[in-house]
Amino acid sequence: MKASLWRAAGAAAAVALVTGVASASTTSVTITSPKAGSSISLRKNPYLAVAGNVGFAPATAGTTRFYLRRDGCGTSNDNPHLSVASGTDGGDGCGLVLSSVVGLGGDVDQGAVVDFPTTDGMPLTFDSSRNVTGTIDLESIGITDGTGLGTGLLEVDASLEALVRGNGVDIGSDTESVLITPTAADYPVSFTIQPNAALNQADLSGVDLRVHVHGPFAFSGFIGNSGKSWSDLPSYSASLNRSVAVSLDDPTFASSVAARLSGSTWSVAIPTPAVGKHTLYARSTQGFDTSATASQPFSVTR
């Protein structure tokens, strides 16, 4: 599954690059102390109080729905993926191997595994305090009156993996069973995943949903797309990972210090530098987004 996630990460990075140029930052920072052009006495102030204001995008709990999409079922342009946008897919009811019924207790598994990596909707701040839910729509070979040729017992394994700081981390999995009969051609299978608690409030670069269909069945097990199959991920509207970094005389922040956050303000005390002219730099970060750098010149006297 990790190869799919790496492809998803590349796509997400390309989208983030374009988005970063086109849209404003979600976070901003200013320096209010020391004031621009002020003079600080080194003898009276062995430590320098640095402070300012910061703005972050509000992080409200919600849900992000990802649809199972395919560009061209059974072609070289198949491209199974997850997308926050629904639509008509090229080749609906796609892609699992047609198999024969086996004996009682048998299990048919002929490559009936499909990975769906995200191609948009990332990055995403995950909320593991709530369950992941979704529906995998299974279709049988149909007859015109709405019935189907499918029969047997299907098991559907739905497993999720996240890409976090370049590493694949399991979110969780669920297995559901469904009895296929010729009385219907369409079977929406609901699943629920209790997610990995270690991923709570983590910023995800990508997600991969692996669907594995197996069991003693025939003429069924095709995944319905075009809005029929999806997964709902509990999420936040913005990252809860927030910080302000302060740097003295170094706009690259190579040796920056972290400020203390208090609502819409920040502060930190640093050793007062040597006598002369200096510049303070500050920047804020929320998730993968970093603000423009604020700067403030000041002088130190004896």
Side-chain angles (χ1 to χ4, degrees):
M1 196 186 300
K2 288 180 174 59
S4 297
L5 272 174
W6 279 113
R7 290 194 298 271
V15 171
L17 180 61
V18 173
T19 304
V21 172
S23 62
S25 174
T26 62
T27 179
S28 60
V29 67
T30 61
I31 301 172
T32 59
S33 177
K35 295 190 179 300
S38 61
S39 294
I40 310 296
S41 169
L42 179 58
R43 181 175 60 84
K44 295 180 180 179
N45 301 278
Y47 284 89
L48 179 64
V50 185
N53 297 317
V54 64
F56 295 111
T60 55
T63 300
T64 304
R65 173 163 291 188
F66 290 92
Y67 294 94
L68 280 66
R69 306 293 306 272
R70 300 183 91 141
D71 294 338
C73 177
T75 72
S76 59
N77 191 40
D78 189 359
N79 187 32
H81 61 280
L82 294 177
S83 174
V84 294
S86 183
T88 301
D89 287 290
D92 203 7
C94 185
L96 299 183
V97 177
L98 186 65
S99 51
S100 302
V101 176
V102 297
L104 184 64
D107 191 20
V108 173
D109 187 353
Q110 301 178 19
V113 175
V114 185
D115 281 299
F116 293 86
T118 50
T119 56
D120 56 29
M122 293 289 155
L124 177 142
T125 302
F126 190 61
D127 179 7
S128 67
S129 68
R130 295 178 287 146
N131 288 337
V132 176
T133 58
T135 293
I136 305 298
D137 183 78
L138 295 184
E139 298 179 349
S140 302
I141 294 177
I143 305 174
T144 55
D145 62 359
T147 60
L149 296 177
T151 184
L153 182 66
L154 277 173
E155 284 197 341
V156 182
D157 303 330
S159 55
L160 279 167
E161 187 178 68
L163 190 66
V164 184
R165 294 186 291 274
N167 297 309
V169 181
D170 289 332
I171 294 176
S173 61
D174 183 31
T175 298
E176 299 290 340
S177 300
V178 58
L179 181 63
I180 306 297
T181 70
T183 59
D186 193 81
Y187 293 85
V189 180
S190 298
F191 65 88
T192 300
I193 294 174
Q194 184 173 352
N196 181 354
L199 289 174
N200 195 37
Q201 301 183 5
D203 296 315
L204 312 185
S205 300
V207 169
D208 186 286
L209 173 64
R210 169 166 288 187
V211 181
H212 179 199
V213 179
H214 57 103
F217 67 94
F219 305 115
S220 188
F222 302 97
I223 297 177
N225 304 120
S226 299
K228 299 174 185 175
S229 300
W230 67 86
S231 180
D232 287 339
L233 270 64
S235 57
Y236 293 94
S237 58
S239 177
L240 290 100
N241 297 303
R242 306 165 175 175
S243 63
V244 170
V246 176
S247 179
L248 177 65
D249 295 330
D250 178 16
T252 69
F253 289 80
S255 300
S256 63
V257 294
R260 181 179 64 87
L261 298 177
S262 178
S264 61
T265 64
W266 59 269
S267 61
V268 65
I270 62 173
T272 302
V275 173
K277 294 183 178 180
H278 299 277
T279 302
L280 278 167
Y281 299 94
R283 66 186 182 190
S284 56
T285 300
Q286 183 173 19
F288 295 105
D289 188 28
T290 299
S291 71
T293 299
S295 62
Q296 198 87 299
F298 68 98
S299 299
V300 176
T301 62
R302 294 183 187 277

